[in-house]
Amino acid sequence: MYSKQIRISMSKIISGFSKFTKEEKIKWLAKNYFQNNTNATAILKQYFNADEKLQQLHDDFIENTISNFYLPLGVAPNFVINNKTYAVPMVIEESSVVAAAALVAKFWSTRGGFKTTVLGTTKIGQVHFLFAGKKADLESYFNKNKTELFAATASITKNMEKRGGGILDIQLVDKTHKLENYYQLHVTFETKDSMGANFINSCLEAIANQFRNDTIEIVMSILSNYVPECVVRAEVSCKVEELGGENPQKFAQKFEQAVKIAAIEPYRAVTHNKGIMNGIDAVVLATGNDFRAIEAGAHAYASRNGEYTSLSYCTIKNDVFRFWIDIPLALGTVGGLTALHPLAKLSLELLQKPSAKELMQIIAAAGLAQNFAALRALTTKGIQHGHMKMHLQNILNQLGANNVEKNKIETYFEDKTVSHAAVVSKFEEIRKAINWVNFTNKTEVRNLLSTLKMDTKPLFGKMNSQQMVEHLSFLMRISNGSVKADYFVEEEKSNRRKAFLDTENELQIGFKASLLSEEPTPVKFDSLQESIDDLFIQIDEFQKHFTSSKTENHPFFGELNADYWEKFHVKHFTHHFKQFNLI
C-alpha cells in the first residue's frame, strides 16, 4: 500500500513543465490535479484577457503562468495631504478597507488634512563575508581599498548619480561577537524615484568582486528590506472638540489609551499594525510596488527596540488631539512593475505622477487613515459592527440573493448586529415568502426592470432579456384581445387548471403554453428599452380592455375574466422576473 502511494505521488513529478505552452500546462494540471474537471479549466480560461498582447504581458511577469488572479481596484477619494487633494487607488479583497479609508479621508479633509514629512530616504545593502585572520589586517585592507570599491561600481552608478542618487557610504562592520568570523560591508544608497533593488544588488556584486581575496570568503551580496533610515511621517491633529460625536473628550481619551495599549502589548500591536498595513499594502499593490518587502520592513521597524510595538502614536496635549505614524517605505515610481503593468501606470497617473518621496507620503497617509478608522470603530461601536456591515454584501453574494432580497436584508440589518448565521436565517425567511410582482404598479415594475441589461444572463431557459420582456407583452396582448388564442380548452380542464391561479403556488420552471414554440421568438423591437416601453403600453391596454370586455381565452387555462387574468399575469411576471434575478 505504501509503495503504491509513492508511485502515485511520483507520477505527478514532471520535468520540463516550464517549456510547455500555457494550454499544455493547463491540460497537465487538469489531468493530474483537477481529475479532468472541465469546470476548473473553464475558470482558468475565463480569466484570460481578450487582448492577446496584454495577456502576453501578464504571462511574462512570472514563469508558469496559467491564468490571471484578479483583485478589485478601488479608489478612496478626498485625501488632503499637505494641502493637495488625492483620489487614492487601492487593490485589496477585504470589504471594509476602501470604504473606511474614504470615510476617514473625508473626515480629516475638513480638519486640516494629513501632514506628511519624509524623514529619510537612505536604503541599505550588505556584502556578507567570512574572515578568519586578524581584525586589524582586515581593517587595513578595507581602508586601503575603499576608494576602489566605489570605483568598481562607476559604470553602474553613473546614471543614478546624474539624478542625485548613488552610493552614500561603505562601512566595514564586525559581527564576530554574534557569529564566528562573520563581517559585512554595510552600504548605504540613495535611489531617488526608483525602488532600486536591481541597482543595489548590481552594485553589491561589483563591490564583492572587487573586495574578495584569498583570505576573504564572500557568502552573499544582497539588499536589505529593512530600511530604518528610509522613513516617512504622516499625522493628523485638531482640537479635541472638533473630533465631533456625543462626547469628543471621552472618545479622544479612549483612542489614546488604545494606541498606548498597542505600544506595550505585542498581541495587540500585531493586529493594530495589520490594520495599518491594510491601507498601505492596498496602495503599494495598486502602484506596482513590492508589498512583501514593505510588510517585512515595517514589522522589523516595529521591533527595532527589542519588542514588537505599535507603528502609530497618539497624544492629547493642551486640548489638541494628535495622531501620527512613522514607517519605513522603500518605494519606486519608475522601473520594475510600475513601468510595465498598465493599471500600475494608471494608478500613478491617478495620483498625479508622484515622485518616490510623494508616494511615500501618500501611502503613509493611507495607512494612518486605516488605523484611525479601525481604532475609532473599536473604541465606539466595536469593530464587528462596521466590518460585518461591509461584509454583508459578500454574504449575500455567496447566498445568491437578488436585488430585491439584498435591499430587504440591508434594511433589516440597519439597526442590528450582522452575523453570518443571522443573515442566512433572514435570507431563508425571505426566500420562503414569494415576492409577487404587482404588474399593475408600473413604478414597481419599472424599478425592477431598471437593472435588466441586454447581457443579463437568465437563471434558466433559453430567452435573452429582451425576448423575455416581449414574451410578457405577447401574453398581455392575448389578455387585451389584440392577439387571439384560438386554442379550445375543455371546460372541465379549464376549471381544474384555473384552480391553480387561486393558490399561492408559482409557475414551475419549464411551464410552456401549447401555442409557444420550443425556441424563443425573435425580437420585434430594435432595443430592450423599446420592448420595455411597449410592455407598459400593454399593461395600460389590459386595464382599459376589461372595462368593456368580460373574458379572453388563455391557451392553457381557457376563458378567463379580468380577475383570473390578473392572477395569471402576477404569476407570469413573477416567474420571468425570477428567471432574470430581478426579484
Side-chain angles (χ1 to χ4, degrees):
M1 180 65 179
Y2 180 68
S3 61
K4 183 180 179 182
Q5 288 176 337
I6 292 176
R7 285 197 302 273
I8 292 171
S9 179
M10 290 297 289
S11 70
K12 294 183 179 181
I13 301 298
I14 184 171
S15 297
F17 183 74
S18 64
K19 294 182 175 60
F20 284 6
T21 64
K22 185 162 61 178
E23 188 73 28
E24 289 169 339
K25 290 185 180 83
I26 291 172
K27 284 182 179 178
W28 186 85
L29 290 169
K31 178 182 177 182
N32 288 277
Y33 289 94
F34 295 129
Q35 292 77 48
N36 285 320
N37 183 346
T38 55
N39 186 51
T41 300
I43 289 171
L44 290 173
K45 293 183 177 182
Q46 182 181 347
Y47 284 90
F48 288 2
N49 198 296
D51 185 327
E52 290 185 9
K53 288 184 178 179
L54 187 57
Q55 182 58 53
Q56 188 61 53
L57 176 68
H58 285 277
D59 287 350
D60 292 342
F61 286 156
I62 59 171
E63 192 168 275
N64 294 341
T65 305
I66 58 171
S67 190
N68 305 310
F69 190 98
Y70 294 166
L71 287 175
L73 170 61
V75 173
N78 302 318
F79 267 89
V80 177
I81 305 171
N82 295 340
N83 299 317
K84 185 176 179 180
T85 304
Y86 296 88
V88 177
M90 306 180 83
V91 171
I92 194 165
E93 85 297 342
E94 192 169 325
S95 57
S96 60
V97 170
V98 178
L103 195 66
V104 171
K106 190 171 185 181
F107 176 87
W108 284 107
S109 69
T110 59
R111 294 165 175 81
F114 296 82
K115 304 300 179 188
T116 58
T117 309
V118 174
L119 305 179
T121 57
T122 301
K123 295 165 188 173
I124 304 298
Q126 296 165 322
V127 177
H128 304 270
F129 66 93
L130 301 178
F131 176 75
K134 294 179 181 178
K135 181 180 177 180
D137 292 342
L138 180 63
E139 288 175 335
S140 175
Y141 176 75
F142 170 73
N143 291 328
K144 182 179 178 181
N145 287 280
K146 187 172 182 179
T147 302
E148 295 302 316
L149 299 181
F150 279 98
T153 66
S155 62
I156 304 170
T157 60
K158 181 171 62 174
N159 289 333
M160 185 66 75
E161 287 170 353
K162 287 179 181 177
R163 302 201 301 271
I167 298 174
L168 304 179
D169 193 16
I170 305 174
Q171 296 177 335
L172 175 66
V173 179
D174 181 357
K175 292 280 185 175
T176 56
H177 61 291
K178 291 190 173 182
L179 182 64
E180 187 179 4
N181 300 331
Y182 170 45
Y183 294 85
Q184 59 183 231
L185 297 181
H186 189 84
V187 189
T188 53
F189 296 85
E190 170 58 62
T191 61
K192 305 307 287 182
D193 287 337
S194 169
M195 190 276 169
N198 291 330
F199 168 76
I200 291 172
N201 287 334
S202 297
C203 287
L204 292 173
E205 289 180 4
I207 290 169
N209 288 332
Q210 180 64 36
F211 190 64
R212 72 172 73 244
N213 64 23
D214 292 340
T215 61
I216 293 172
E217 182 184 349
I218 304 295
V219 178
M220 57 184 170
S221 309
I222 186 70
L223 89 162
S224 174
N225 290 127
Y226 182 42
V227 284
E229 294 176 9
C230 185
V231 176
V232 58
R233 172 173 293 169
E235 64 178 280
V236 289
S237 63
C238 68
K239 290 282 189 182
V240 170
E241 64 189 35
E242 293 174 0
L243 289 169
E246 294 180 5
N247 191 334
Q249 187 68 44
K250 183 178 180 181
F251 165 71
Q253 290 170 350
K254 283 186 71 176
F255 192 103
E256 182 188 31
Q257 286 301 315
V259 177
K260 285 180 176 179
I261 289 169
I264 58 94
E265 173 49 67
Y267 283 93
R268 170 61 199 140
V270 170
T271 309
H272 178 94
N273 290 343
K274 185 268 181 186
I276 293 171
M277 302 314 291
N278 277 345
I280 287 176
D281 285 350
V283 192
V284 170
L285 269 169
T287 56
N289 277 276
D290 186 347
F291 76 94
R292 285 92 49 204
I294 297 299
E295 280 274 353
H299 295 304
Y301 190 73
S303 306
R304 65 193 182 280
N305 295 322
E307 185 174 71
Y308 192 90
T309 187
S310 167
L311 288 165
S312 61
Y313 312 86
C314 182
T315 60
I316 303 171
K317 292 181 180 178
N318 300 321
D319 203 36
V320 173
F321 172 88
R322 180 174 176 242
F323 180 50
W324 75 98
I325 186 174
D326 289 345
I327 189 163
L329 293 173
L331 301 165
T333 57
V334 297
L337 199 64
T338 59
L340 290 173
H341 199 297
L343 285 176
K345 289 192 284 187
L346 204 64
S347 292
L348 290 170
E349 187 176 338
L350 178 64
L351 291 172
Q352 302 161 73
K353 298 181 179 179
S355 65
K357 278 188 175 182
E358 289 171 321
L359 186 59
M360 287 173 70
Q361 295 170 81
I362 293 166
I363 291 179
L368 187 68
Q370 206 62 41
N371 197 208
F372 182 86
L375 291 173
R376 182 169 64 176
L378 281 167
T379 55
T380 52
K381 294 182 178 180
I383 198 72
Q384 283 302 95
H385 179 82
H387 181 78
M388 290 307 292
K389 279 292 181 80
M390 291 302 301
H391 193 51
L392 179 59
Q393 276 306 322
N394 287 343
I395 300 172
L396 293 175
N397 288 335
Q398 289 170 12
L399 293 172
N402 59 43
N403 294 329
V404 173
E405 290 165 341
K406 284 180 180 179
N407 290 334
K408 286 184 177 180
I409 293 172
E410 286 165 3
T411 301
Y412 177 79
F413 281 103
E414 277 180 0
D415 58 352
K416 297 176 180 65
T417 301
V418 175
S419 71
H420 189 275
V423 175
V424 171
S425 176
K426 188 62 182 176
F427 173 75
E428 290 176 346
E429 178 189 319
I430 290 173
R431 272 285 164 101
K432 286 178 183 176
I434 300 169
N435 300 309
W436 297 112
V437 177
N438 178 8
F439 74 100
T440 61
N441 184 335
K442 292 197 291 185
T443 300
E444 177 188 335
V445 174
R446 196 176 296 278
N447 287 337
L448 293 173
L449 288 172
S450 65
T451 60
L452 187 67
K453 308 297 179 190
M454 270 303 300
D455 58 355
T456 302
K457 301 295 183 186
L459 300 179
F460 56 86
K462 298 179 181 180
M463 288 190 289
N464 63 34
S465 54
Q466 186 171 347
Q467 287 168 336
M468 181 273 286
V469 172
E470 293 192 9
H471 171 68
L472 292 175
S473 292
F474 176 70
L475 269 295
M476 291 296 307
R477 283 190 173 89
I478 292 176
S479 64
N480 298 345
S482 58
V483 172
K484 292 298 181 183
D486 295 327
Y487 282 77
F488 175 72
V489 180
E490 294 175 3
E491 186 176 353
E492 182 185 349
K493 281 186 180 180
S494 177
N495 290 335
R496 188 169 67 248
R497 291 173 180 178
K498 278 194 295 188
F500 165 78
L501 297 177
D502 289 320
T503 71
E504 287 296 306
N505 297 328
E506 296 179 84
L507 291 173
Q508 295 300 304
I509 294 174
F511 171 80
K512 189 184 292 287
S514 54
L515 66 77
L516 299 176
S517 63
E518 285 299 316
E519 296 301 317
T521 304
V523 296
K524 61 183 289 188
F525 292 99
D526 292 333
S527 69
L528 174 60
Q529 188 55 54
E530 287 180 72
S531 299
I532 292 172
D533 292 341
D534 177 66
L535 177 61
F536 288 117
I537 292 172
Q538 302 312 320
I539 291 171
D540 288 338
E541 288 299 315
F542 170 79
Q543 293 172 312
K544 292 177 186 175
H545 181 68
F546 278 101
T547 58
S548 56
S549 297
K550 292 185 178 180
T551 64
E552 287 294 344
N553 190 53
H554 187 286
F556 180 80
F557 292 102
E559 289 290 323
L560 300 180
N561 62 21
D563 287 340
Y564 273 111
W565 266 112
E566 188 165 324
K567 289 175 181 179
F568 166 76
H569 285 312
V570 166
K571 290 181 185 291
H572 196 225
F573 272 68
T574 302
H575 175 75
H576 286 293
F577 277 31
K578 278 192 173 185
Q579 180 186 14
F580 283 83
N581 205 28
L582 301 178
I583 57 171

